[in-house]
Amino acid sequence: MLRYIVRRLLQAIPVFIGVTLITFILFFIAPGDPARLIAGQRADAETIARIRSIWGLDKPLAVQYLLFLGRIIRLDFGRSFKTNIPVIESIGERLQATAVLAFFAFIIAILLGVTAGIISAVKQYSFFDYTAMVIALLGVSAPVYWVGIILLLIFGFKLGWLPLGGYISEYGIKAVILPAITLGTRPAAYFARLARSSMLEVIRQEYITTARAKGLPESKVIFKHALRNALIPVVTYAGMVVGDLLTGAVLTETIFAWPGIGRLVVQAILDRDLPVLQGGVIVIALIYILANLIVDLSYALIDPRIRYE
């Protein structure tokens, strides 16, 4: 297991270097002089020259990239052009807000999606099965922004039960309900379809037929023998979902004015705030790498037949 973890970490290094290289290039292909962007449009030539020297912009590109890589390893992404706040502080605050939203959305997606998928497979061709799959199809097809707007119109404007936007510090736990449902709807639909198809495939295996022939209770057959094997593809998708929820909640965060990292990156693009954009992209890449590693390591816990040689 330890050897496998080390190998996977080594495999992630080229990916990480590729991401840092792309974000480094963004700094130079963006319109305008990087030194002038840092110093401001009204800065004089002396100030711009000093900025070039401090940031190493007067050195060859290869040296600049190595300096940039060194700052990243130290988690030094510089300061925001707009607010002059250290980028790592801004990302830390926003990532915490996104993690809260992603946690509740993931819980909703897992509980609703996997439960509905397993029941649909066990009760195939029943009324529940048809109803759950129709709802799952609608969940997959409905755009996130449409779901968010409809929930706002019904529960925010019409009924007034829940706040229209904002963070937990303003409205308490009620503030996360609508954004979490909006963000978790599509993953829940995919979980339901995936869990159903996986469970149907497993319960048709010979060892399930043998377990039933031995007279084992149906609940024991499903939960002890079938469920763990059926969850393997679900866990694979769950890792992708965690990465998506932590990094891809831009529309949800925008609709509900949620102060997350996705909204921070979008605002950085609009403001041409390159340090914030670079830091956000690198943190997002690290989240994906870590999520994929955790998924791979979780396989052996679910299915003992899987071993890491």
Side-chain angles (χ1 to χ4, degrees):
M1 175 69 79
L2 179 60
R3 184 181 301 175
Y4 176 79
I5 295 174
V6 173
R7 186 167 70 246
R8 282 304 310 269
L9 290 175
L10 292 176
Q11 291 173 352
I13 292 176
V15 177
F16 176 72
I17 292 177
V19 171
T20 60
L21 187 59
I22 292 173
T23 55
F24 174 76
I25 294 173
L26 283 176
F27 196 82
F28 292 93
I29 66 174
D33 181 6
R36 184 169 291 278
L37 287 173
I38 298 171
Q41 296 299 322
R42 297 182 180 180
D44 54 27
E46 183 180 352
T47 302
I48 293 175
R50 188 167 63 253
I51 291 294
R52 288 184 183 279
S53 177
I54 293 173
W55 281 71
L57 297 175
D58 53 351
K59 295 179 172 59
L61 282 178
V63 176
Q64 291 186 46
Y65 174 69
L66 292 177
L67 293 174
F68 173 71
L69 199 58
R71 290 196 299 269
I72 291 175
I73 294 174
R74 299 192 306 270
L75 295 179
D76 179 13
F77 299 109
R79 290 179 174 269
S80 168
F81 290 169
K82 184 177 181 181
T83 64
N84 200 35
I85 297 175
V87 173
I88 191 65
E89 290 185 12
S90 299
I91 291 177
E93 294 174 0
R94 298 300 187 96
L95 188 59
Q96 181 180 359
T98 297
V100 171
L101 175 58
F103 172 78
F104 284 102
F106 185 76
I107 294 299
I108 290 173
I110 283 288
L111 290 180
L112 294 181
V114 175
T115 302
I118 297 300
I119 296 175
S120 293
V122 174
K123 299 183 178 298
Q124 189 181 17
Y125 304 130
S126 66
F127 176 77
F128 181 90
D129 182 26
Y130 288 120
T131 303
M133 289 304 101
V134 169
I135 295 175
L137 179 61
L138 294 175
V140 171
S141 305
V144 172
Y145 65 85
W146 183 84
V147 174
I149 292 173
I150 293 299
L151 291 176
L152 275 178
L153 288 175
I154 296 175
F155 297 101
F157 283 106
K158 185 76 173 177
L159 300 175
W161 291 351
L162 297 169
L164 301 177
Y167 191 50
I168 295 176
S169 58
E170 303 172 71
Y171 300 102
I173 197 65
K174 292 194 300 183
V176 78
I177 295 176
L178 291 183
I181 294 175
T182 301
L183 189 59
T185 296
R186 179 167 291 185
Y190 279 116
F191 274 129
R193 292 159 63 102
L194 185 60
R196 179 182 183 273
S197 61
S198 179
M199 178 60 82
L200 285 175
E201 181 179 354
V202 169
I203 61 179
R204 290 167 182 163
Q205 299 296 318
E206 291 184 359
Y207 70 91
I208 298 297
T209 304
T210 302
R212 285 171 171 163
K214 290 180 178 180
L216 294 178
E218 185 66 13
S219 59
K220 190 172 184 179
V221 172
I222 296 299
F223 290 106
K224 183 176 181 179
H225 297 280
L227 184 59
R228 294 183 67 176
N229 293 330
L231 286 179
I232 293 177
V234 175
V235 170
T236 302
Y237 179 63
M240 299 169 57
V241 167
V242 169
D244 289 340
L245 292 178
L246 285 172
T247 60
V250 177
L251 290 175
T252 303
E253 292 176 355
T254 302
I255 292 172
F256 294 96
W258 191 268
I261 191 171
R263 194 176 172 202
L264 176 68
V265 171
V266 170
Q267 193 60 48
I269 295 173
L270 297 176
D271 295 337
R272 294 173 64 188
D273 198 342
L274 295 180
V276 175
L277 178 59
Q278 287 178 324
V281 171
I282 291 171
V283 169
I284 287 171
L286 287 174
I287 290 172
Y288 269 109
I289 293 172
L290 182 61
N292 287 328
L293 178 61
I294 292 174
V295 168
D296 286 347
L297 296 179
S298 65
Y299 285 155
L301 298 177
I302 296 175
D303 190 348
R305 295 174 300 177
I306 298 175
R307 291 291 180 265
Y308 299 107
E309 300 295 343

